[in-house]
Amino acid sequence: MHLTDIWFLLIAVLWTGYLVLEGFDFGVGMLLQAVAKDPVDRQVTLRTIGPVWDGNEVWLLVAGGATFAAFPFWYASLFSGFYLALLVILVALIVRGIALEYRNKLHDPQKHAAWHRRWDLAIVISSAVPALLWGVALANIVRGVPLDAEHNFTGNFFTLLNPYALLGGLTTLALFALHGAIFIALKTHGPVRDRARALVLPLAGLAVPLAAAFLLWTQTYDGSWITWVLAVLAAGSLITGVAASRMGRDGLGFLGTAATIVFASATLFVTLYPNVLPSTTDPAFSLTTTNASSTHYTLTIMTWVAVVFTPIVLLYQSYTYWVFRRRLTRDDIPQRGTPARPAPAETA
């Protein structure tokens, strides 16, 4: 295996990790007003992702940085061609981060409720927008975009809004919402958990047919026996996760939806390889792992850096999830002027 292949695999792993971790973040944000009916419930819901959401976004930074360093021509064509869509995603992520931090900064009782309503709505919208557009972007990468002989994007924003890409966006939107609902059920007790569990079946009714249609359509581009196996594993994981959640096995349900995202992402990247950005103008203009990569020397240095630092990052992020593993209840939210209830020692 060449270094270009290794780095294509590593970038696929980084994007998959981002989709799994940020996927339930987006789901929690989108479902905030559906599972939380009063300010205390909303605090419980947001605290499920409070310690981890910003750490999950680091996967996006690393994935983008690795793409820039390992495959600069892929990065250049991708970010120039998808400029407007990626700008919308970036704005949504900025608004989402501000909303999560600012919603608790006002302590004026007369303005408190209106302040919370505005920021909560911002969280819902800014979670749904990237959940939709990341699916659109990934679908376009697999399907291909119009590139000329110099690998310049010759389409426009509406070129990206083709039926296959829109189906991909709706798939990630529904799948992340389902992933988030099961995560809320895993991380809470009480009415928030009950409402989240009640949403699992309706969301599955959307996610399952959308995901099946999207993966079947993907097979028409460059399907192989490997991608068929991965697609079947994704479908099986999704059905297993939903069934486990309905039986009250929230941990197994969450693993099921996480595995679904992993297998679905693997299906897309295996379908894409050895291309990194196919050209619909002429296959000869496509960017591949060979013609889009950095020099061998650059990839060698990057590989040693990844070998040293990747395990460290995985260890401290795993430790973060372990420390904040306990389920949350309404009793964990302090009333004004009173301290929070001490956290018990038991695990989730």
Side-chain angles (χ1 to χ4, degrees):
M1 182 179 288
H2 297 93
L3 284 178
T4 53
D5 298 325
I6 292 174
W7 273 97
F8 179 84
L9 176 61
L10 289 175
I11 288 172
V13 170
L14 289 170
W15 278 107
T16 301
Y18 172 72
L19 295 174
V20 170
L21 297 176
E22 195 77 319
F24 70 74
D25 277 358
F26 291 147
V28 171
M30 285 188 284
L31 299 177
L32 175 61
Q33 294 183 333
V35 301
K37 301 304 182 182
D38 60 41
V40 176
D41 282 351
R42 285 192 284 274
Q43 287 275 34
V44 170
T45 303
L46 291 176
R47 286 195 179 193
T48 62
I49 61 172
V52 297
W53 70 267
D54 47 356
N56 292 342
E57 289 191 348
V58 172
W59 286 74
L60 173 61
L61 300 178
V62 177
T67 304
F68 170 76
F71 299 100
F73 296 102
W74 182 16
Y75 180 94
S77 296
L78 181 65
F79 278 72
S80 60
F82 291 43
Y83 183 83
L84 182 56
L86 293 175
L87 178 62
V88 173
I89 292 175
L90 179 60
V91 171
L93 293 177
I94 291 172
V95 171
R96 181 169 172 270
I98 293 173
L100 287 168
E101 296 293 342
Y102 270 43
R103 71 180 305 277
N104 294 320
K105 298 300 183 184
L106 182 68
H107 302 294
D108 185 343
Q110 295 181 343
K111 301 178 180 179
H112 195 264
W115 175 269
H116 273 194
R117 281 197 302 272
R118 286 194 292 267
W119 287 119
D120 290 346
L121 180 60
I123 291 172
V124 173
I125 296 173
S126 60
S127 296
V129 168
L132 174 71
L133 292 183
W134 279 129
V136 172
L138 288 170
N140 275 298
I141 292 172
V142 173
R143 170 184 173 271
V145 294
L147 298 176
D148 61 20
E150 283 74 39
H151 309 303
N152 295 315
F153 179 76
T154 57
N156 53 50
F157 177 75
F158 297 101
T159 304
L160 305 178
L161 302 180
N162 55 81
Y164 174 71
L166 291 174
L167 178 60
L170 292 175
T171 300
T172 53
L173 184 71
L175 188 56
F176 289 169
L178 175 62
H179 195 38
I182 295 178
F183 180 77
I184 294 170
L186 173 65
K187 289 291 295 177
T188 61
H189 274 307
V192 172
R193 179 173 183 262
D194 295 338
R195 295 187 195 105
R197 291 192 63 215
L199 289 172
V200 168
L201 203 56
L203 290 173
L206 292 174
V208 171
L210 286 171
F214 179 64
L215 290 176
L216 286 173
W217 196 341
T218 300
Q219 297 305 306
T220 66
Y221 286 103
D222 193 17
S224 65
W225 69 268
I226 299 177
T227 55
W228 274 112
V229 170
L230 291 170
V232 169
L233 288 173
S237 298
L238 183 56
I239 294 171
T240 301
V242 172
S245 177
R246 294 298 298 171
M247 292 187 294
R249 302 289 299 277
D250 300 319
L252 184 59
F254 181 74
L255 289 177
T257 51
T260 300
I261 297 173
V262 170
F263 288 128
S265 298
T267 303
L268 297 180
F269 279 102
V270 172
T271 301
L272 181 63
Y273 180 84
N275 293 319
V276 293
L277 190 61
S279 172
T280 57
T281 305
D282 187 331
F285 300 160
S286 298
L287 285 167
T288 68
T289 56
T290 302
N291 65 17
S293 68
S294 294
T295 64
H296 180 80
Y297 180 71
T298 299
L299 295 178
T300 301
I301 295 176
M302 289 175 60
T303 301
W304 282 110
V305 171
V307 167
V308 173
F309 287 102
T310 301
I312 297 174
V313 173
L314 292 176
L315 283 172
Y316 80 67
Q317 190 158 27
S318 299
Y319 178 72
T320 301
Y321 278 91
W322 174 255
V323 169
F324 295 101
R325 66 193 184 277
R326 187 177 61 81
R327 291 180 185 264
L328 298 169
T329 70
R330 291 174 62 91
D331 292 336
D332 292 304
I333 308 303
Q335 301 299 318
R336 291 192 176 276
T338 63
R341 181 174 63 87
E346 72 269 17
T347 65

